[in-house]
Amino acid sequence: MPLHTQINLALLAGSFTFCMALGITGHLLRKKDGGLPPVPLFPGSKFPDFFATFYTVFFVLTFGAAAAAQCMGTPEETEPDTLSLISNAIVQTALYLPFLIIYFTLPGRNLPPVPLLRKLCWLFFGLLALFVPAMLIEWTGFTNYLIEWTDCPVQQDVVTELAKGSVPAQIIMLVMAVIIAPVTEECCFRGFVYNILKQKSSPVWAGVGSAFLFSAVHTSLAHFVPLAIFGLVQCYMYEKSRTLWVPVILHMLFNALNCLFILLYSASL
């Protein structure tokens, strides 16, 4: 087994273990404390916290198992099949659909609304916070050192498919990268994982745990650090804006700019 695969699997296992330990430890400490009851996960909702937590853990473990299987699989050199891409998009959407229905039908949290101008400012600073660290990491040569040391793939599969696929395949990948992935991933990792861990521990530890888990399930060792920073920034944007739509739109803009760069770069070759 290649070194980069071993490290990816270790990061997956470590992230899952950390999040599970954080949640279980927080639950036991709160139970032992015997003080005030814990803050409800979804205030004002009749949706049971236990079911939300159970469903989230089950889904994340399933998603992690799929990521691990993909990590250990042999990368295909052939052009991606359009039908298989459509099937993957449908399956991914269907799996995340309960998350979306549950989260976006929840009642408000009775928090003071954030003005629209301030939300736009958070979007602008969020984009800077996403791109600047990634550029600095590339400038230091850390990514190249990691690639040479572990012989890990330079690009994620989605980047390869977007750059080398047929036009229908590229359209599907654009829809998945710019629309489906931002909505579903933010709902899962920020809407559920982060909130559940924050309920059991603190915003800081919840942000670290959800960010590392978010990065690990992408199974891209070369981009693990930028993706972890991405997750941390998204948690911060979620807290400051008090709405999931700011990190969703930020995720969409970030992916759209990256996709545009990939398409322009591949067209120039």
Side-chain angles (χ1 to χ4, degrees), residues 58-75:
F58 172 78
F59 179 81
V60 170
L61 287 174
T62 304
F63 191 69
Q70 180 183 3
C71 180
M72 292 186 291
T74 304

Side-chain angles (χ1 to χ4, degrees), residues 245-268:
W245 284 112
V246 167
V248 166
I249 295 173
L250 187 58
H251 200 149
M252 286 180 173
L253 290 173
F254 183 80
N255 283 8
L257 290 172
N258 277 294
C259 288
L260 179 62
F261 174 78
I262 292 167
L263 290 174
L264 291 175
Y265 178 75
S266 61
S268 65

Side-chain angles (χ1 to χ4, degrees), residues 222-233:
H223 302 95
F224 180 83
V225 175
L227 285 172
I229 296 174
F230 182 98
L232 287 171
V233 170

Side-chain angles (χ1 to χ4, degrees), residues 19-264:
C19 289
M20 292 291 289
L22 197 63
I24 293 172
T25 303
H27 177 75
L28 293 176
L29 288 175
R30 285 179 182 271
K31 191 173 181 180
K32 182 180 178 182
D33 192 29
L36 295 174
V39 177
L41 182 60
F42 303 124
S45 173
K46 296 181 180 179
F47 192 77
D49 286 7
F50 172 78
F51 183 76
T53 304
F54 176 81
Y55 180 73
T56 303
V57 171
F58 172 78
F59 179 81
V60 170
L61 287 174
T62 304
F63 191 69
Q70 180 183 3
C71 180
M72 292 186 291
T74 304
E76 297 181 3
E77 298 295 335
T78 58
E79 182 178 317
D81 178 63
T82 304
L83 184 60
S84 65
L85 291 177
I86 295 175
S87 301
N88 289 336
I90 294 174
V91 170
Q92 181 177 345
T93 305
L95 286 173
Y96 276 108
L97 193 58
F99 274 122
L100 302 177
I101 294 174
I102 293 168
Y103 190 87
F104 288 108
T105 55
L106 292 173
R109 302 187 180 192
N110 298 321
L111 294 173
V114 176
L116 178 60
L117 181 60
R118 188 175 298 178
K119 291 179 181 178
L120 293 176
C121 291
W122 282 120
L123 278 174
F124 174 74
F125 287 113
L127 279 174
L128 290 180
L130 293 179
F131 277 105
V132 171
M135 293 173 63
L136 288 175
I137 290 172
E138 289 291 334
W139 178 71
T140 59
F142 175 77
T143 302
N144 291 332
Y145 169 77
L146 198 60
I147 292 170
E148 293 176 1
W149 175 49
T150 63
D151 196 28
C152 62
V154 180
Q155 298 176 332
Q156 293 178 269
D157 293 339
V158 63
V159 176
T160 304
E161 293 168 359
L162 185 60
K164 299 181 180 180
S166 60
V167 173
Q170 288 179 327
I171 293 174
I172 296 169
M173 293 308 302
L174 281 173
V175 172
M176 290 184 66
V178 179
I179 300 176
I180 296 178
V183 175
T184 55
E185 289 181 2
E186 292 307 316
C187 188
C188 177
F189 290 100
R190 254 60 69 180
F192 279 84
V193 174
Y194 172 71
N195 275 325
I196 290 172
L197 293 179
K198 184 174 70 169
Q199 182 199 40
K200 303 297 182 183
S201 56
S202 69
V204 174
W205 286 113
V208 171
S210 60
F212 274 72
L213 184 61
F214 169 78
S215 181
V217 296
H218 282 78
T219 61
S220 176
L221 183 59
H223 302 95
F224 180 83
V225 175
L227 285 172
I229 296 174
F230 182 98
L232 287 171
V233 170
Q234 291 291 74
C235 288
Y236 187 76
M237 293 294 109
Y238 178 49
E239 283 289 340
K240 286 296 182 180
S241 64
R242 300 172 190 159
T243 174
L244 192 66
W245 284 112
V246 167
V248 166
I249 295 173
L250 187 58
H251 200 149
M252 286 180 173
L253 290 173
F254 183 80
N255 283 8
L257 290 172
N258 277 294
C259 288
L260 179 62
F261 174 78
I262 292 167
L263 290 174
L264 291 175

